[in-house]
Each structure stands twice: as structure tokens, then as C-alpha cells.
Amino acid sequence: MKVFYTPTDAPVAAAIVVFHTRAAVQFAAEKAGTAAAAPRLVLDDPAGAEIHGDFAIARYLARLNPEFAGGLFGGASALAAAEVDQWVDFAITSRAVAADGGDARSFVSVVNSALASRTFLAGYSLTFADIAAFAVLLAVGEEAATGSSHIQRWAALCHARLPGRKASGVLRLDATRKAAAAGAAAGGAGG
């Protein structure tokens, strides 16, 4: 299996799941404008099936590993599963807003407030809600959480339990954020 992506839409959640589960998945960056708009996973099957979108790919890969997926999606409780789903929906929306040049402060504020009285976003252990939100934080840059003590505590916990730095390194997120910022500054200077 191979994940194709453009540097401006790196599959952070998928990379975290791949490294956490040790799945046999390769990542291939493509030049902007030469690939589909969203990251895509090309499956190793004769039909050449594809899964599109970072979070859809991450969920698929997590579900391939029953040990990993056990409580990751909220377990047997419909309420717990819905709580995970709502955080994943929030993460997807927040990532889209940030990708369109929006401000990450709202994302940081909501997550920081939720973590004021809990260790994890949904339930009492790490879930896909945490992976999704952590992927957004890595994509927008952890400096966005400066001064937000609860999200910083949670991010440290996520770094300890998830391979976020390894995923960031493979996807070259720091270079991608710098290039995007330089492009935005150049676009803003001319207008």
C-alpha cells in the first residue's frame, strides 16, 4: 500500500497510525498540481482501489489492526463512539480551515478548554479523537498552542504515546509550513 500526497496536504493522521501500528505503508510526496486534491491510499489489490483523505486513510489503517483498533473508536458504547466521532469531525473541519489560511486559535481554544478537566479528548484512554486532533496540531504547528497549558500537557502525552515526531519528519511538515508561510507572505505583500 502506498499513500500519495502533496506537501501542502500531508497525511499526518495516516502517518501517525502507520508508525504506531507498524503497518507496511509507503509515503510518496508528489508535486503540487500533479496529484488528487487530498491524500490517497492506493491499495495492493488487483482492482487498484483507493481511499481518499487523511482521516479516512488513518481510520482504514487503524481498523486493519484489531489490537490497535479495539477501544480506539469508542468501543461497544454508541455514546463513546459518537464522542470520538464528534472530535474527529471537529478535527477535519479545523484542518480544512487552517489549510485555507484560517487561524488555528479557535481549534486550540476548544481543545485546551476540553482538556482542562480530562487527560484525553474522549473517554479515559487514547482514542482516534486524540490522534485526529494531534494530527491537526502537528499540521498547524505546535507553536499555535503556546500559552495553552492543557493542550501542551496533552501534546506531550501524545508525543510520548504516538510517533508524531517521526511522522512529522517523514512528511517534512516543518519545511511544508515554512514554504506555505513564505507563499502567504509573498501573496499578501503584492496585494
Side-chain angles (χ1 to χ4, degrees), residues 59 63 70-92 118 121-123 127-130 132:
R59 286 185 292 236
R63 288 177 178 133
L72 198 61
F73 297 103
S77 164
L79 180 60
E83 188 176 11
V84 170
D85 290 343
Q86 75 183 6
W87 279 108
V88 173
D89 288 348
F90 176 70
I92 291 169
R118 56 175 60 183
L121 289 173
T127 65
F128 197 77
D130 298 291

Side-chain angles (χ1 to χ4, degrees), residues 145-170:
T146 301
S148 301
S149 61
H150 307 300
I151 200 170
Q152 288 177 329
R153 168 187 43 81
W154 168 82
L157 180 64
C158 288
H159 273 299
R161 293 188 178 204
L162 298 169
R165 286 190 176 89
K166 188 172 184 180
S168 294
V170 167

Side-chain angles (χ1 to χ4, degrees), residues 29-181:
E30 299 178 307
K31 291 181 182 175
T34 61
R40 69 188 191 286
L41 171 68
V42 178
L43 302 177
D44 294 331
D45 72 356
E50 295 184 0
I51 297 170
H52 293 259
D54 183 22
F55 294 105
I57 294 167
R59 286 185 292 236
Y60 172 79
L61 294 172
R63 288 177 178 133
L64 289 178
N65 186 334
E67 289 178 33
F68 181 68
L72 198 61
F73 297 103
S77 164
L79 180 60
E83 188 176 11
V84 170
D85 290 343
Q86 75 183 6
W87 279 108
V88 173
D89 288 348
F90 176 70
I92 291 169
T93 302
S94 297
R95 175 97 178 258
V97 167
D100 286 339
D103 195 341
R105 285 183 291 195
S106 176
F107 167 78
V108 169
S109 176
V110 170
V111 173
N112 194 58
S113 293
L115 292 168
S117 61
R118 56 175 60 183
T119 303
F120 300 100
L121 289 173
Y124 300 102
S125 62
L126 185 80
T127 65
F128 197 77
D130 298 291
I131 291 172
F134 186 53
V136 172
L137 183 63
L138 291 175
V140 301
E142 290 183 77
E143 60 276 0
T146 301
S148 301
S149 61
H150 307 300
I151 200 170
Q152 288 177 329
R153 168 187 43 81
W154 168 82
L157 180 64
C158 288
H159 273 299
R161 293 188 178 204
L162 298 169
R165 286 190 176 89
K166 188 172 184 180
S168 294
V170 167
L171 299 174
R172 300 181 42 174
L173 290 179
D174 291 335
T176 299
R177 279 194 298 272
K178 287 177 186 172

